[in-house]
Amino acid sequence: MKESIKENLDEILSKLSTTEAKLIAVTKTHPLEKLQTLYDLGFKVFGENRVQELTEKYEKLPKDIEWHLIGTLQTNKTKYIAPFISMIHSVESFKLLKEINKRAKQNERVIECLLQMHIAEEDTKFGLDEKELYEILESEELKTFENIKLVGLMGMATFTENENQVRSEFKKLKSLFDKVKANFNTENITFRELSMGMSGDYPIAIEEGATLVRIGSAIFGSR
Ligand SMILES: *Cc1c(COP(=O)(O)O)cnc(C)c1O
C-alpha cells in the first residue's frame, strides 16, 4: 500500500513539476494511516469534503498540515474549522462568506476562500452562476470583511468521457477567472488560484490553466 501511494504521488508531482499547478491530496474517506503515509513522504497539503471528518483528522494528525475544505460547508459548521482551515474552495453564498469572516475574526485569522462556480452541464445544485458571482464581488458589505480573502474560483467539470466538453468547461472557468482578476483588485479580492481538475481530468485542467488540482483516487486508489 505504501509503495503504491509513493509511486502515484511521485508520478503526479513529476507531471505537475513543469506547470504552475499545485497538488491538493484529497483524503476524504481514507483512514488516518494513509494520510500519515503521505505526511511521512513529506507531502502535507490535504483536502477533505466533510467538516466532521476533517476536524477529526485534524485533531489526530500533526499540526503543520495545510487543510483545504473542498465540499459544501453548512453555515452553522463554519466555527468548527475556522481555527485551522487554510482555504475553503466551496463558497457558494454571501451569507456563508459573512459567517466565515466572523469566525475567522474570532480566531484572529484570515481565511482564504474560493468561489465555487457551476460549470458542468449536469444539473447539480452546486456552484454559483455568473450573475451570483458578480453580486458577491460587487457587494459593498464585502469591503468590510477584513478576515477573509477571495483568492480565486473553483469548479467541477461534467463527469463524462467527452474530453472536448470537459476542456470547454475548464476554458469557460479560466476566462471568467481572468476577467475577475483583471477587473477586481481590492483589499480582500486578489485572484491567483484556479482550483479545477480531479483524478480523471486533471491533465486537461492543467493545460487550461489550473493552479490547484484536487486529486484523490489517482493517489490512494478508488474509494
Ligand atoms: C472527491 C473530490 C475530489 C477528488 O476526486 P478524485 O476523483 O478521487 O480525484 C476533488 N474535488 C472534490 C470537490 C471532491 O469532492
Side-chain angles (χ1 to χ4, degrees):
M1 186 272 276
K2 276 192 181 147
E3 280 314 305
S4 64
I5 288 181
K6 181 176 182 339
E7 272 173 33
N8 294 340
L9 179 69
D10 286 348
E11 190 184 322
I12 292 165
L13 289 178
S14 106
K15 271 190 202 148
L16 297 184
S17 67
T18 56
T19 76
E20 297 285 301
K22 285 167 298 198
L23 173 65
I24 293 163
V26 176
T27 50
K28 67 183 187 207
T29 75
H30 295 292
L32 285 174
E33 53 166 339
K34 289 198 186 177
L35 281 69
Q36 186 70 50
T37 298
L38 272 196
Y39 184 87
D40 294 340
L41 290 166
F43 193 82
K44 306 180 186 179
V45 185
F46 297 165
E48 287 279 336
N49 70 338
R50 295 180 55 220
V51 167
Q52 185 170 349
E53 188 176 343
L54 170 61
T55 49
E56 282 171 15
K57 285 172 170 171
Y58 165 76
E59 279 159 20
K60 291 179 179 142
L61 287 167
K63 292 296 168 287
D64 60 340
I65 291 170
E66 181 183 320
W67 292 97
H68 292 242
L69 182 74
I70 62 172
T72 304
L73 175 59
Q74 284 173 276
T75 310
N76 62 357
K77 293 194 175 161
T78 307
K79 56 178 180 284
Y80 302 118
I81 59 169
F84 67 90
I85 198 79
S86 276
M87 190 183 288
I88 300 173
H89 292 228
S90 40
V91 177
E92 294 180 300
S93 73
F94 185 78
K95 176 168 155 253
L96 178 58
L97 212 47
K98 187 170 175 162
E99 177 71 8
I100 296 169
N101 182 63
K102 174 179 157 188
R103 298 298 179 181
K105 193 182 176 95
Q106 287 174 348
N107 287 279
E108 297 177 12
R109 302 188 65 231
V110 174
I111 298 177
E112 297 195 324
C113 297
L114 305 178
L115 295 167
Q116 180 171 353
M117 301 302 301
H118 178 87
I119 55 168
E121 200 169 77
E122 291 154 356
D123 194 18
T124 72
K125 59 184 190 306
F126 298 115
L128 303 161
D129 62 29
E130 255 185 72
K131 181 167 166 283
E132 294 166 327
L133 169 69
Y134 285 113
E135 276 169 13
I136 292 176
L137 294 171
E138 287 164 1
S139 149
E140 282 299 317
E141 196 183 351
L142 179 68
K143 296 183 181 136
T144 67
F145 294 173
E146 293 177 348
N147 295 78
I148 52 136
K149 264 197 191 325
L150 287 178
V151 296
L153 301 178
M154 185 270 236
M156 272 189 279
T158 304
F159 189 69
T160 170
E161 296 287 309
N162 182 345
E163 285 197 8
N164 290 332
Q165 183 177 349
V166 171
R167 188 178 298 281
S168 94
E169 291 172 0
F170 286 152
K171 269 192 204 302
K172 224 167 37 185
L173 187 59
K174 171 70 157 89
S175 99
L176 190 58
F177 171 85
D178 288 339
K179 213 158 72 180
V180 174
K181 188 178 159 140
N183 291 301
F184 291 83
N185 209 328
T186 64
E187 207 48 48
N188 58 12
I189 309 177
T190 316
F191 270 29
R192 59 180 162 75
E193 303 292 1
L194 183 54
S195 171
M196 60 184 194
M198 311 176 23
S199 293
D201 56 19
Y202 79 90
I204 305 175
I206 291 168
E207 285 170 11
E208 299 305 331
T211 68
L212 298 172
V213 290
R214 311 175 310 268
I215 299 180
S217 43
I219 299 172
F220 296 111
S222 51
R223 283 182 295 276

